[in-house]
Amino acid sequence: MNAPKLITSLTNDRIKAIRALEMRKVRKETGLFVAEGTSLLVTAREHGFVPETLIYQTGTATSGIARGLVRHALDAGSEVLEVSEAVLAKLASKDNPQTLLGVFRQRFIEPPAPAKVGEGTWLALEEIRDPGNLGTIVRTADAAGCAGVILVGTTCDPYAIEAIRATMGSIFAVPLVKMDQQAFVALARAWPGDVIGTHLAAREDFRKVGYKDPVLLLMGGEGPGLSSGAAASCTTLVKIPMAGELDSLNLAIATALMLYQIRGPHLKL
């Protein structure tokens, strides 16, 4: 029968291996990531994610939701570690310590097939570099009912702890796709609906465009914006008007404006 394993040593090999997931290289090699906190773990369970390992602090999972999460992990055959406060402090984020965390397997899906994409909205992010922005955008894509998020080219890691935290659990709800530039351009050119890009040189006001489903929204990375190749693959380039001195918005804010403009007719209170 599966049962928790007690660990109190800071030098335990399993603890070292889990802590090593702070590094992108290790996350890439193992295909694993860490999510912290009861709320995220509940969301993971609701979306069918089973932890490879569940870690909880001694004395904190005797009742309520935490106890249910531990039981769920045990019943699923997951490794469950009961650890001392000192050990958990070594594993958890220093600025927001939690008493419960899980190690999960990363999940990427195949790119959407243009012939089968339906009428949803897909969001593509080209060369995004800030994990906080990425996590916020994934959360917004979830709220707006996007079909998925496509990461194009060299991007930051959506499974970095900063990104995971910013998603507030949406990392478990929103399908993620990875594509190189060439493959994405081919997808965009075959897309059956509108391919919309934001661009400083655009002449169309994003609020005055009629968006034809299925929409593929393409946002450029922080700073450089869309590459010339990606911009050329769009059917329409739009611009968000601004009255101040700056010529651009934070990427997460700009993406939210675009998504809610496109998805507005599909969203009801």
Side-chain angles (χ1 to χ4, degrees), residues 205-234:
D205 186 325
F206 83 113
R207 300 166 299 176
K208 298 179 180 180
V209 171
Y211 298 101
K212 177 186 174 184
D213 285 334
V215 176
L216 176 58
L217 172 63
L218 176 57
M219 304 293 293
E222 303 93 343
L226 289 183
S227 66
S228 57
S233 70
C234 295

Side-chain angles (χ1 to χ4, degrees), residues 30-101:
T30 62
L32 301 174
F33 71 99
V34 174
E36 299 184 12
T38 301
S39 178
L40 264 66
L41 299 190
V42 168
T43 303
R45 182 178 62 184
E46 290 173 349
H47 287 88
F49 280 76
V50 176
E52 301 268 326
T53 303
L54 186 73
I55 304 100
Y56 69 96
Q57 182 178 318
T58 298
T60 63
T62 57
S63 63
I65 296 174
R67 182 180 180 182
L69 288 168
V70 171
R71 175 47 53 194
H72 173 258
L74 289 170
D75 290 345
S78 304
E79 175 187 45
V80 177
L81 305 179
E82 178 184 347
V83 301
S84 65
E85 183 177 357
V87 170
L88 195 71
K90 187 174 182 178
L91 295 175
S93 298
K94 301 299 185 291
D95 57 343
N96 187 28
Q98 301 286 343
T99 59
L100 193 68
L101 57 87

Side-chain angles (χ1 to χ4, degrees), residues 47 109 112 117 119-125 136-150 170 172-177 191 213-219 255-264 266-267:
H47 287 88
I109 67 168
V117 76
E119 296 186 352
T121 298
W122 281 82
L123 170 64
L125 304 170
T136 300
I137 290 169
V138 169
R139 182 182 180 186
T140 304
D142 188 12
C146 280
V149 173
I150 303 171
S170 292
F172 299 108
V174 178
L176 297 179
V177 176
W191 196 259
D213 285 334
V215 176
L216 176 58
L217 172 63
L218 176 57
M219 304 293 293
T255 303
L257 289 172
M258 289 298 307
L259 284 177
Y260 272 85
Q261 186 67 28
I262 294 168
R263 294 290 304 161
H266 304 281
L267 302 176

